[in-house]
Amino acid sequence: MTKPHFYITTAISYVNGPPHIGHAYEAIGADVMARFKRLDGFDVYFLTGTDEHGQKVQKTAIAKGKQPQEFCDEIAALFINMCESMNVKFDQFIRTTQDSHKASCQAIWGKMQEAGDIYLNKYAGWYSERDEAFYGEDELEERDGKKYTTTNTEVHWMEEESYFFKLSAYTDKLLAYYEEHPDFIQPAFRKNEVVSFVKQGLKDLSISRTSFDWGVKVPNSKDHIMYVWVDALTNYISALGYPEDKGGNFRKYWPADVHLIGKDIMRFHAIYWPAFLMSAGLELPKRVFGHGFLLTKGEKMSKSLGNVISPQDLIDRFGVDQTRYGLMREATFGQDGDISYELLGNRINAELANNLGNLAQRTLSQIAKNCDGKVPNPGILEDADHHLLDKAGQAMLIAVRGEFERLQFSKAIEEIVQVANAANLYIDEMAPWTLKKTDTERMATVLYVLAEVIRNLGLIMQPFTPVAANKILDQVAVSPDARDFSFIGAAHALEAGTPLPKPEGVFPRYVHEEAEQAQEKTA
Ligand code: MSP
C-alpha cells in the first residue's frame, strides 16, 4: 500500500547572524510534526534551509571582509549544526544560493511573465533593509528626523527602475480562496488579520532590484535581480525539483501540507506566495500556520536587553530531549510564549522526571526485582486495569492525533501527561509493593498493565523526546520495527515472559542553579 504524502516546511532563515532560539523553536516544531506523521504512516518530506540573498547579507559580508558566498557558507553551516544538535531530522536543507534553486526562480518568473503579470516601471518608496520590504507612509513613525516601521526598523527612501507583479489583480481571487479554504491560514485569528489587510485592496508589488547584485538574476535582464521574497518563497518548490521534476518529488509532494512560519511573515506566505502560484498556474499550499514568538518575561529577546537564551544554552543546561519537550510544552503553538530557565526547569522536573520518568523507573525496577526481570504474566484483568489500558491505547492516539492536526503540541502533551498521571495514581492505589507480600499473581497483573502503559507512552513520546522515548522502548524490549503508531494499543501488547534489560532512569531531575532562583525571586 502506498503511504499518503505529507510535505512540511519551515521558513528559510536569514543568514545575517547565527541561529537563535526562535529558529530552533520553529525547526523543532516542524520536526515534531514530521516525526509524528512518519510514525503515523505518512511518507513525509521535511524541508528547511537558509535564505541567503539580499542587500543586508551582502553588506554584512563586506563589513566582515568576506565574499558573500563565503559568509553564507559559514552561517548556513551553523544552521545545519543547530538542526543536528536539536535532533531535527530534515529531508533536505535548501540554500537559495544553489544553482538548482536559481533556475527554479527563473522558471516561476517566466510563468508569471507569460501570464502577463509582470511589467517594468519605476519605484519610489520607503524601504526597510531589515525586512527587505517597502512600507507606506501610514505605516511609519518619525523620530529624530528618521523614519521607522512599527517594529522599529529604520527605512530609507529608495527610487529605482523595477519590475512589478500585478498583485492588485489578485485581491478578489485571494479573498475567494480564503473563503473556499477556511483552513488555509491558521491559527484562525491570524486569518482575520490577513483577510482584513487584503480587503483594503492590494497594490502591485515591486519584484526586482538594481541597486545591488547579490540575488537571482531576472531572466533576460542585465541589471535586475529578483526581490528576495520572490526568490525565498520559491524555495518550497525548487527544493522539490520544480520545474523539471527529475526525481519526481514535485509531483509527489506538492502542494505542501503545511508551511510552518512565524507570525511576522504571514503576509508574505498568505498573500504574495499564493498570488505568485496562481499566476504561475501552480497549486497552492494546503495550509500556512503562523506560530508565535518566544519571549522572556513578556519581552522580546534582544542582545541589548541581555535576555537572549541561545539554543546551545538550553541543550547544555537541560539536554536535547528536555529542550525539545520544554519548548513544545511551555508555549501554546500559535501564540507568543514566555520561557525562562526556571519555567522550563520546573516543567521538565514536574512532567518528565517526576511523572513519566518516575512511572517508568518504579515500575521497571519492581519488575526487575520481583518478576525475574521478565515481562510479568498477567492474570485476569479487572475493571481498573482495562480502564487504564484503554486510556493509554487507541484513545490516547486518537486524542493526540487530533491535537497534531491543529499543531497543538502542548495540548497533545497534555493528553499524554493525563495518561501518565492516571498510571501513577493506579500504581499508588494498587500498591504492587504490598501485593508482593499478599498476592503475587495480582502484583504481576498490575506490573504487566503498567509495563504495557509504559510501552504506549514510549511510542507516543517519540516525536517530542526521540532519544529518551526510544530508551524507554528498549527497556520494555520493544523491537525497533514495532515502534510506529500502528503498534499502539492492545493488539500489539507486550508478551509475558519477554526478558527485559536492566532498568535505567531516562529523565534525570534538573537542579536549578542558585543564581536562577535568586533572579526569579527578585523578578
Ligand atoms: N528569511 C525569512 C523567511 C523566508 S521564508 C520563504 C525570515 N527569516 S528569519 O531568519 O528572520 O526568520 C526565520 C523564522 O524564524 C521565521 O518564521 C520567524 O518568524 C522565526 N522567528 C524569528 N524570531 C523568532 C522568535 N523570537 N520566536 C519564534 N520564532 C521567531 O523571516
Side-chain angles (χ1 to χ4, degrees), residues 322-341:
Q322 287 86 342
T323 297
R324 293 169 58 102
Y325 181 91
L327 292 181
M328 291 300 106
R329 176 62 166 143
E330 210 46 51
T332 300
F333 215 64
Q335 315 264 1
D336 288 349
D338 231 23
I339 58 157
S340 67
Y341 295 134

Side-chain angles (χ1 to χ4, degrees), residues 136-345:
E137 196 80 49
D138 53 342
E139 295 176 287
L140 302 172
E141 293 164 8
E142 196 160 335
R143 265 183 293 157
D144 307 330
K146 291 178 177 172
K147 294 211 184 248
Y148 296 90
T149 66
T150 46
T151 50
N152 220 10
T153 62
E154 198 183 339
V155 292
H156 296 280
W157 187 253
M158 206 158 87
E159 266 179 48
E160 59 180 314
E161 186 190 63
S162 169
Y163 283 99
F164 281 77
F165 174 75
K166 280 191 196 159
L167 188 62
S168 58
Y170 287 87
T171 306
D172 293 338
K173 288 180 195 155
L174 286 168
L175 289 171
Y177 189 82
Y178 304 145
E179 184 86 25
E180 281 157 29
H181 300 84
D183 292 334
F184 177 59
I185 303 169
Q186 284 185 354
F189 63 90
R190 299 217 186 281
K191 174 178 167 179
N192 304 338
E193 289 164 16
V194 170
V195 170
S196 45
F197 181 82
V198 176
K199 274 195 176 150
Q200 292 168 17
L202 296 168
K203 293 197 193 94
D204 287 354
L205 184 70
S206 156
I207 53 164
S208 75
R209 299 284 177 268
T210 52
S211 51
F212 61 97
D213 63 1
W214 186 240
V216 179
K217 288 204 172 330
V218 166
N220 309 315
S221 161
K222 222 167 40 30
D223 314 318
H224 290 252
I225 56 157
M226 289 183 199
Y227 171 44
V228 72
W229 275 99
V230 176
D231 161 1
L233 289 161
T234 304
N235 93 89
Y236 301 130
I237 55 174
S238 70
L240 297 181
Y242 173 83
E244 283 98 10
D245 198 20
K246 284 195 194 112
N249 276 344
F250 183 69
R251 217 168 325 135
K252 197 162 159 192
Y253 295 109
W254 190 257
D257 291 273
V258 52
H259 287 322
L260 187 59
I261 53 159
K263 61 177 187 178
D264 56 327
I265 53 172
M266 197 42 142
R267 206 181 274 191
F268 301 96
H269 285 79
I271 302 174
Y272 297 179
W273 182 225
F276 296 161
L277 289 166
M278 282 179 185
S279 171
L282 297 170
E283 278 185 89
L284 270 52
K286 293 183 199 150
R287 197 150 47 132
V288 177
F289 188 100
H291 62 72
F293 269 44
L294 290 181
L295 310 168
T296 34
K297 300 206 174 77
E299 284 186 290
K300 224 179 141 168
M301 287 179 212
S302 80
K303 278 185 201 145
S304 53
L305 290 173
N307 62 355
V308 176
I309 297 179
S310 82
Q312 195 57 45
D313 285 344
L314 291 179
I315 297 179
D316 293 345
R317 197 172 278 254
F318 300 117
V320 178
D321 278 336
Q322 287 86 342
T323 297
R324 293 169 58 102
Y325 181 91
L327 292 181
M328 291 300 106
R329 176 62 166 143
E330 210 46 51
T332 300
F333 215 64
Q335 315 264 1
D336 288 349
D338 231 23
I339 58 157
S340 67
Y341 295 134
E342 181 79 7
L343 283 171
L344 292 171

